[in-house]
Amino acid sequence: IEKYCYNNSSNNCSTYGGLYTWDEMMQYNSGNSQGICPSGWHIPTKTELTTLKNYVNSDGNALKEVGQGSGTNTSGFSAKLAGFWKPPPNSNYYSMGSEANFWSRQQYANGNWSLYIASNNYVNINTPPPEYAQSVRCIKD
C-alpha cells in the first residue's frame, strides 16, 4: 500500500499515520468499501462522517487529540493534525499541526468527500481532489 509520510519522514507516519490518495485508499476499486482497512472494518461514508460531525455539535476540538491545537478529545476520536500532500505541479506537504482531512469512500464531482478538522474549533465536510494524500480512519463493521 503506497502512502506518504509528511516530509518523507517515517517518524511522521509513526506519529501521525500515513497519508493516502483516494484511489490508493480504495485499492483502485470504487465499489470496495473495505479499501485499505483490515478485515471487519470499512472506509466511512459521507453520512458516517456527517454523523460524527453532528454528534460533537460541530465542535472540532472534541475530535482532536489533546495537544493537537485546542483539542479536548471528548469524543474519543483522537484526531491528529497530520496535514496533507498535494501532487505535482505543487507537489509538497502542507498544514501538519494545523489541519487534518479524513477521506470518505464517496465521490463528488471533481472531488471526494472528506472530514476536515482545523487547529481552531472548525470542522466541516469538504471535497478535496482525489489526487491529494490525506488521512484515513477505518470504522468497525
Side-chain angles (χ1 to χ4, degrees):
I1 297 171
E2 184 181 4
K3 66 181 175 183
Y4 295 86
C5 298
Y6 199 94
N7 284 339
N8 300 315
S9 168
S10 60
N11 287 338
N12 286 331
C13 271
S14 296
T15 301
Y16 291 91
L19 303 172
Y20 303 86
T21 64
W22 190 86
D23 282 334
E24 187 69 29
M25 174 199 68
M26 294 301 295
Q27 293 291 275
Y28 299 89
N29 178 353
S30 63
N32 176 10
S33 65
Q34 183 180 347
I36 62 171
C37 295
S39 180
W41 295 74
H42 67 271
I43 306 293
T45 63
K46 177 192 177 208
T47 300
E48 288 171 318
L49 294 179
T50 301
T51 298
L52 176 62
K53 177 183 172 283
N54 293 341
Y55 174 75
V56 298
N57 295 313
S58 297
D59 178 4
N61 290 329
L63 296 171
K64 293 182 293 199
E65 185 174 285
V66 173
Q68 296 291 296
S70 300
T72 63
N73 198 33
T74 56
S75 67
F77 189 72
S78 303
K80 293 189 177 185
L81 302 174
F84 63 98
W85 175 83
K86 280 186 182 181
N90 301 319
S91 185
N92 204 350
Y93 293 92
Y94 297 89
S95 303
M96 177 184 266
S98 299
E99 65 182 68
N101 297 275
F102 294 89
W103 285 122
S104 91
R105 67 178 183 245
Q106 290 177 279
Q107 298 174 297
Y108 173 79
N110 294 326
N112 297 64
W113 295 108
S114 178
L115 178 70
Y116 171 78
I117 304 169
S119 60
N120 59 16
N121 197 32
Y122 189 73
V123 60
N124 201 11
I125 305 296
N126 66 2
T127 54
E131 297 82 18
Y132 283 26
Q134 303 184 142
S135 298
V136 176
R137 183 65 62 96
C138 299
I139 296 178
K140 192 163 180 59
D141 292 343

